[in-house]
Each structure stands twice: as C-alpha cells, then as structure tokens.
Amino acid sequence: MNPTTVPVAKKIPHQLEKHGDIRVDPYYWMNERENPEVVSYLNSENDYYNTLTAHTKKFQEDLFTEMRARIKEDDESVPYKKNGYWYITRYEKGKEYPIYSRKKESLDAEEEIMFDANIMAEGHDFFNIGGIAISPDNKLAAFGVDTVSRRQYDIQIKNLETGEIYSDKIANTTGGAVWANDNKTLFYTKKDPVTLRSDKILKHKLATNADLDQEVFHEKDETFGTYVYKSKSKKYIIVGSYSTLTSEYQTLLADEPEGELKMFSPRERGVEYGIAHYGDSFFVHTNKDGATNFKMMKVGEDNTSSENWKEFIPHRNDVLLEDLDIFKDYYVLSERENGLNTIKVVRWDGSDSYYLPFENETYTASVGRNPDFDSEILRYSYNSMATPSSVIDFNMHTKAKDIKKEQEVLGGTFDKDNYIEKRIWATARDGVKVPMSMVYHKETQLTPETPILQYAYGSYGYTIDPYFSTIRLSLLDRGFVYVIAHIRGGQYLGRQWYEDGKLLKKKNTFTDFVDCSQYLIDEGYTSPEHLYAMGGSAGGLLMGAVINMAPELYNGVIASVPFVDVVTTMLDDSIPLTTGEYDEWGNPNEKEYYDYMLSYSPYDQVTAQDYPNMLVTTGFHDSQVQYFEPAKWVARLRELKTNDKLLYFDINMDAGHGGASGRFEALKEVAKEYAFLLDLEGKID
C-alpha cells in the first residue's frame, strides 16, 4: 500500500444484539491480535502517520533533545530510612533505567547496589522492575519483572548478601510481595491469566517450587480485585478486596504466617474503608453511614467489625478526608478543601495540632514516603504549575523545615517568575462552577489568537492536581497556554464531585469539559482555531465524547490509549478489567445502563460530520485499553468524517498502556504529540 494513501480498513459486518437492540460493527474483526491482516492494517496506519509527519521528524528530534536536556540525568531520589538502611533510587548519565541501592545506617556507608535495571533490561524492548520488598532481616529482596508491558510480573528473590538470584520464579503476578516476619514466607497477588484481574493471594515458601504455593484467599466476585500489604507497625499482613465502591479487609499476624486470615469487617455494598494499625487499635478511613467526604473511626484489635467502630474524626461536608499517616507521637491528615491539598499534624496526646502553611492560589502538596514509625520527621512534597517539585522534611516537634531536594531544571534558562499560574472558574450548563488551573509564559498575551491545550481525565475519582512539568515548558516557551480542567468525575472538589460524574451522571464529565472550552473562547483567551484538547485512557473516552458533541470548538485533539468502544467492551467480561468497571460506568447487561452508555460511547456515536485534526495513539500490548478500540474508532472516523482534516493513528507495536518503558524513550512520544500541536500552529522551527 502507498504510505501516502489514506488507510482504509475492510468491513466485515458483525451483529451485536442486546436488549433487543442490534448494532452492526464492521470493524469487530480487528480484535484478532494474531491475525496477519490486523497487523498489516496497523502497520499501514503507522506508515501513513510516519510519511505525513516526515517533515516534523527533525523538529521532534530537536524537541526530544530539548526536553531531555532539562532533566538531570545523574539524578537520585531523596534517601529514606527503613529498618536500619537508607534506600536510594538513582539514575546515571546516558542510561534509561534506575539503579536501586542502599546504605547501612549512615549515608556515608558504602553503597550496596541491589538492582541495576539497565543491565537487567538488556535484550528487552520493554522492561519494568517493580514491587521490591526487603525481608525483615534485610538479607533478601523479592522483586517483580515485566518484559511485555501487560503488567504481568514474574516475582523472583535475590540474596542481597551474595548477589544470587534464587531459582524461585512466580509467574503472572502484580509484582508486589510481602514478607512474613520469619524471613522465608512470601505473600503475593496472582492474576487471572485471561482477564488479568487480581483474584488470588498465595503464599510462597523460600526455595520451593511455585507450583506448590498455597492459596490463602480467592476473591471470587468478578467485580472485585485483591491485594496484600503489611501494616506500618509491622504487626499485621493485610489482605484487601476492592471494587470501585466497596472494600473489605482481612488480617493475619505477621509473626504467624501459617495462621488463618481474620475478617476485619465484612463488605457492605457502597461502603469503602481503609485501615491503619497503631498500638492496640485500628483507625478506619470510611464513607460509612453517608460520610460522602469520609471520616475516621477507631476500633480495638479484637472486635473490628463495623458495629464496634467509634468516631475519631467526624465527616465534614466541605472537607474531603483523603488519608491518615501514623507515627509514634503524631498522626497526619491529608485533606482537600475547595480543591486544594491541606496537611494537618496532630499529637496523639492532644497537646498540639496545626496545618502546614501553603500560600499559592493553586498548588499540589502530598505526604511522601514515611516508613519510619518512630520518627518525628514528616516527609512531604510540594509543587505547582510554575514551581518545580520540592521534597521537604518537616520536624513535627520543632516545626523546622528542611528542603531535602528541589527539582533541578537544567539548561540555565528556567526562572519560575517567567510563568503565570492561576485558577479560573467556568459555569457549566447546569449552573455548577467548574475550576481550571492554567499556566503560561508571562510574555504570552491571552487573545483569540493564543493557542491553548486543555487537558483533563475525569473518571474514577482520580484528581489531576496542578503539577509542575519540565516537559511542558517546551509548549509554554512557544506561546501555548496549558489548562487542566478539574471536571466532574474526578474528586477535586470532594467526593460528590466524583459521584456527579459517573454511572448515569457520566455525561456531566463531557459537558463540563465542553463548557470549560466554551468559557475559554467566550472570555477571549483563545478561539476554536487555536484551542486543543488532550486526554488519555478514560480521558481518551472524554476526547471521543467531546468531539462527537462539539467538534467545532477544537482545532486539534490528542487521544492517547483511548477507551472508546464502551458498550462492546463492558459487555465482554473476558477483557481485562471489565467486570471491575461496572461501578464506574454501569453494567450494560442492565438495559438502563446499556441505553445510557450507548448514547455517549464514542465509537457508536461517530456520525457524518466535520471532525478536528486528530492524533490517536495506542500500544499493541495494552492490557488496560486494548489496541483494537482505537483501531476500530479510527477506521470509523475515516469512513464517516466529512472533512479532510488530519487523522493520524500512531501504534507502538512494542508497548502497553504506559507507553515506552525507558526513562527518556517516553519523551519521544511526547515530542510526537507536541510536534502535532505546534505543526498545526505553524510553530515548527
């Protein structure tokens, strides 16, 4: 096929019937991953994309070099101390992958390299190491490796004293593992090989065949997943079960790995809770009894079921209680009020309590990794859209602040005072005020000629906070404004903000985004000729819905790994993650949800109309959103769209949901996206 010819996918009508409704899907055949015709079609799309963007290749390379040059290559994490060792993750100049090391007792001690992922990645197109777990005696490390990018990890065990990697190999796991206190029993999460649902907790004995591993728990409800972790107090191994709306925990004394799991409190539909152990009690973070924004309860170790929970911190209508961190003398609350993070420190004896001071109009602050229970040092991070990230150690007793690390922006040209950040509010069509965080260079004038990239996610209650990005500077320094729309479906303005953007209220997510776009245009910040939209995964669903609803508002749209074939996917319970998604989107086996989902499903709602310029990306091995969803969507858009604006489909044939695995390889994908935008703006230099 001529690479300049628009790819045309063949049509094989396939009838899909549900609730008496018949849909004909002509591109259903694309789900045959091993079919050579599928691979051939995807390759033709890649050839077309590469040919038509050939004039931007040099610019992409320059962008990549520019973005990479801002990043400190020989960088390392702020060390944290756990069980007598300081742990450090560092990068070496010119290398793609991290090196995991530690030092005994003192940072001046000799470095022990536990894992050099650069060496381990040799020979693999994709590589990821995760879930490193150190045994209580500090001698062994369990770790997970994924070389395919379907988030199916093999767990292995390394002797940190001799360097030997044991023959134990546990396939198809989440990668993480938890050691019992005997230093030889390992608890881990197994995945269903077809759906990839985390459905079983198993127990592995050191130096035994993984085939002999004992099943500890099987989560049989297909709408739930399971996981295992250890309490910060090190007393309990905790098995959690979760769905979007409901949670449940079981506990086991870490000193007694052969013991039986003990139910903490049985699941109740719609009740979420999380647990933290301290002294002779558990603290329970929950939405029970209508506590939409969550509250904190307390219960003794012996009778932990919910009827025994006593209120510790009450529910508040205007404050979302996000998390609790426990120390020997203090507890720390992570809260969110009017969209902004707050961190509250409280002494257990009640003698002191206070909030950490944050002064920006819009920012992100979060409690960091604090594994040391006995410490009076709280580690947290702070950044904003114009302020690079800082890692700060705060002494909760003296209130002294020690900035351990400020993110370096290399190149010598960055000055945060050159950028303006602010929060603005659009009025949605139902009267609700929707916040947006924006950042731009101080020399950029906000006029109808100004290019704006509007980004959002808007699902699962996941909040996109206003964060700093060195990569984004390549847009800002070329006159772009970057806007994060905090639309319903996220949790920016509290739990109700999420509830109002899911299930049968899901369309609020899409209309909020459109109304934010309209506001930016109406206020003269930009115009449809210069407004761009971007989202990935569930945010790609957002993009698909938005361009069906209001294509005239955007000059260009980027949809990364987009979830666009909502109804068909949600009816196929063999596809990874489907059954666990019913609480988010609804179960289309019920007609009410089927009809509602069908009314916004981007693939089903493609019509004969003008669409904006588009770049769609996916990974062939994606386990979250299968490659065939965007492939079918692009084919249908090509078939039905009534204008000749650009439609590019870029498929990474080696990667999955997260894209390329290397530290800098991922920048090449960003360079493609930015080149697409800047080319449309005539700003390719």
Side-chain angles (χ1 to χ4, degrees):
M1 176 181 169
N2 187 329
T4 61
T5 305
V6 177
V8 177
K10 72 174 183 179
K11 297 166 72 171
I12 305 174
H14 180 86
Q15 282 201 359
L16 298 162
E17 183 174 355
K18 193 73 180 177
H19 306 298
D21 179 51
I22 296 176
R23 292 178 298 137
V24 178
D25 184 351
Y27 305 113
Y28 189 84
W29 64 275
M30 288 189 185
N31 68 3
E32 300 168 13
R33 186 187 301 273
E34 308 301 326
N35 184 339
E37 288 191 73
V38 170
V39 175
S40 175
Y41 170 71
L42 297 179
N43 286 332
S44 74
E45 284 283 5
N46 273 342
D47 291 343
Y48 178 73
Y49 165 72
N50 288 322
T51 301
L52 267 65
T53 57
H55 66 288
T56 72
K57 288 294 188 273
K58 172 67 167 61
F59 181 66
Q60 287 180 38
E61 291 166 9
D62 292 345
L63 266 182
F64 170 76
T65 303
E66 173 183 303
M67 291 187 288
R68 179 172 177 155
R70 292 194 200 100
I71 298 171
K72 185 174 169 61
E73 290 198 39
D74 51 344
D75 200 7
E76 67 176 47
S77 64
V78 179
Y80 69 87
K81 195 173 187 184
K82 185 177 183 182
N83 198 21
Y85 280 84
W86 289 94
Y87 288 91
I88 302 158
T89 303
R90 63 179 178 83
Y91 290 88
E92 292 183 347
K93 201 172 179 87
K95 295 185 177 179
E96 289 279 352
Y97 294 96
I99 296 167
Y100 298 93
S101 67
R102 66 178 185 174
K103 297 180 178 182
K104 189 171 184 178
E105 292 299 345
S106 167
L107 286 170
D108 295 326
E110 185 180 352
E111 180 188 48
E112 300 175 30
I113 292 179
M114 300 186 297
F115 300 98
D116 185 339
N118 298 285
I119 296 171
M120 299 169 73
E122 289 175 4
H124 298 290
D125 291 324
F126 179 92
F127 180 84
N128 192 30
I129 180 172
I132 297 172
I134 310 298
S135 61
D137 64 6
N138 291 313
K139 295 179 179 179
L140 303 172
F143 63 100
V145 168
D146 174 14
T147 57
V148 179
S149 184
R150 276 182 72 77
R151 302 186 185 183
Q152 292 171 286
Y153 291 81
D154 290 344
I155 291 177
Q156 294 178 268
I157 297 163
K158 182 174 184 176
N159 185 316
L160 296 176
E161 294 182 325
T162 67
E164 179 189 359
I165 294 179
Y166 293 157
S167 59
D168 313 48
K169 194 167 189 176
I170 309 166
N172 192 31
T173 77
T174 58
V178 176
W179 290 95
N181 290 345
D182 64 358
N183 299 295
K184 59 185 181 185
T185 308
L186 205 60
F187 293 82
Y188 63 92
T189 309
K190 195 86 169 168
K191 289 189 166 189
D192 181 287
V194 177
T195 67
L196 302 189
R197 181 171 69 92
S198 304
D199 65 342
K200 292 177 181 176
I201 306 297
L202 275 73
K203 179 167 59 178
H204 177 76
K205 290 289 187 185
L206 207 58
T208 64
N209 191 307
D211 293 341
L212 303 175
D213 288 358
Q214 183 181 339
E215 184 179 300
V216 176
F217 173 65
H218 182 193
E219 177 52 72
K220 295 179 179 177
D221 188 328
E222 291 184 346
T223 66
F224 279 74
T226 186
Y227 61 102
V228 60
Y229 69 100
K230 201 173 196 176
S231 65
K232 187 174 175 178
S233 66
K234 303 177 184 173
K235 184 173 180 179
Y236 290 98
I237 288 168
I238 300 171
V239 172
S241 291
Y242 66 94
S243 71
T244 308
L245 292 176
T246 309
S247 43
E248 177 184 82
Y249 293 89
Q250 300 173 77
T251 62
L252 175 69
L253 289 169
D255 284 336
E256 302 175 12
E258 298 306 312
E260 296 293 320
L261 285 176
K262 178 186 173 186
M263 177 60 66
F264 188 89
S265 189
R267 65 190 68 178
E268 300 174 53
R269 174 77 177 166
V271 174
E272 297 172 60
Y273 71 93
I275 60 178
H277 177 251
Y278 174 74
D280 60 359
S281 300
F282 283 97
F283 290 82
V284 186
H285 177 235
T286 183
N287 65 348
K288 187 173 170 57
D289 300 324
T292 307
N293 274 336
F294 287 77
K295 59 185 175 181
M296 199 66 64
M297 311 288 276
K298 182 180 179 181
V299 68
E301 286 179 298
D302 296 329
N303 298 297
T304 56
S305 58
S306 60
E307 64 266 19
N308 299 307
W309 298 354
K310 299 287 188 286
E311 190 171 273
F312 182 65
I313 297 169
H315 173 258
R316 291 159 290 173
N317 288 324
D318 56 346
V319 178
L320 176 66
L321 179 56
E322 293 191 313
D323 204 1
L324 169 78
D325 279 87
I326 287 175
F327 297 82
K328 180 182 174 186
D329 297 324
Y330 300 87
Y331 64 88
V332 178
L333 299 174
S334 297
E335 302 174 343
R336 187 184 292 273
E337 185 171 9
N338 195 31
L340 299 179
N341 306 118
T342 60
I343 298 174
K344 185 179 185 180
V345 177
V346 187
R347 277 194 73 99
W348 284 110
D349 63 13
S351 63
D352 197 12
S353 74
Y354 52 90
Y355 284 93
L356 301 188
F358 303 122
E359 291 157 10
N360 272 23
E361 179 186 1
T362 177
Y363 63 86
T364 298
S366 61
V367 172
R369 189 165 191 171
N370 292 277
D372 189 354
F373 180 74
D374 293 329
S375 177
E376 58 184 25
I377 302 296
L378 169 70
R379 177 165 291 174
Y380 71 94
S381 63
Y382 177 89
N383 72 103
S384 73
M385 293 179 85
T387 309
S389 181
S390 294
V391 177
I392 299 157
D393 278 1
F394 178 81
N395 189 305
M396 294 181 280
H397 175 62
T398 66
K399 300 183 174 64
K401 196 166 82 167
D402 180 11
I403 298 175
K404 304 300 291 185
K405 180 179 181 179
E406 285 187 276
Q407 180 183 2
E408 291 184 61
V409 183
L410 301 186
T413 60
F414 174 76
D415 180 351
K416 67 180 181 182
D417 293 332
N418 285 336
Y419 302 90
I420 296 168
E421 57 184 336
K422 57 186 177 183
R423 189 165 63 159
I424 57 177
W425 299 75
T427 302
R429 60 195 66 186
D430 60 358
V432 171
K433 299 284 189 184
V434 181
M436 291 181 273
S437 298
M438 66 191 307
V439 63
Y440 53 96
H441 197 282
K442 66 181 182 181
E443 293 179 3
T444 298
Q445 302 298 311
L446 299 179
T447 74
E449 304 301 309
T450 305
I452 289 183
L453 177 57
Q454 181 184 333
Y455 173 84
Y457 185 71
S459 290
Y460 304 106
Y462 182 73
T463 298
I464 305 292
D465 281 308
Y467 66 98
F468 182 78
S469 164
T470 62
I471 298 167
R472 191 191 298 140
L473 297 174
S474 291
L475 281 183
L476 303 185
D477 292 350
R478 289 176 171 82
F480 261 80
V481 178
Y482 188 87
V483 171
I484 299 173
H486 304 292
I487 53 181
R488 281 175 281 188
Q491 214 158 253
Y492 185 79
L493 290 181
R495 180 63 175 216
Q496 195 59 48
W497 201 244
Y498 169 42
E499 300 290 342
D500 289 342
K502 63 189 286 197
L503 297 173
L504 297 174
K505 296 181 180 178
K506 188 65 214 172
K507 288 183 187 177
N508 284 338
T509 301
F510 315 139
T511 55
D512 279 1
F513 191 91
V514 169
D515 294 342
C516 285
S517 300
Q518 193 64 57
Y519 177 86
L520 293 171
I521 293 166
D522 292 346
E523 291 297 307
Y525 291 128
T526 189
S527 58
E529 291 76 32
H530 300 283
L531 180 57
Y532 302 87
M534 181 175 178
S537 195
L541 162 62
L542 169 67
M543 294 300 101
V546 160
I547 62 166
N548 284 334
M549 294 168 64
E552 71 283 355
L553 295 184
Y554 308 96
N555 187 40
V557 171
I558 299 173
S560 308
V561 292
F563 171 42
V564 284
D565 191 12
V566 183
V567 178
T568 304
T569 291
M570 293 302 296
L571 282 169
D572 185 352
D573 58 16
S574 73
I575 291 178
L577 309 181
T578 290
T579 53
E581 303 278 296
Y582 290 159
D583 288 336
E584 179 71 22
W585 314 102
N587 182 349
N589 292 296
E590 300 173 26
K591 189 174 189 307
E592 180 182 28
Y593 288 107
Y594 175 89
D595 291 342
Y596 188 76
M597 292 160 78
L598 187 61
S599 72
Y600 69 74
S601 171
Y603 179 63
D604 293 287
Q605 295 303 322
V606 173
T607 59
Q609 63 176 337
D610 286 358
Y611 281 95
N613 297 292
M614 293 185 64
L615 170 61
V616 181
T617 67
T618 193
F620 188 54
H621 297 289
D622 198 325
S623 62
Q624 312 295 108
V625 177
Q626 306 290 320
Y627 73 89
F628 47 79
E629 290 201 36
K632 290 164 53 175
W633 183 48
V634 167
R636 182 164 273 179
L637 283 166
R638 290 208 188 285
E639 176 191 352
L640 292 176
K641 75 188 190 84
T642 52
N643 59 358
D644 58 1
K645 289 196 172 178
L646 303 173
L647 175 54
Y648 295 147
F649 186 28
D650 180 31
I651 308 104
N652 186 328
M653 298 301 286
D654 297 320
H657 198 61
S661 63
R663 184 184 183 203
F664 299 111
E665 280 301 306
L667 294 181
K668 293 179 180 176
E669 298 179 9
V670 178
K672 288 179 177 181
E673 294 168 352
Y674 284 9
F676 171 74
L677 299 171
L678 291 161
D679 191 25
L680 289 172
E681 279 295 308
K683 289 179 178 284
I684 286 196
D685 36 66

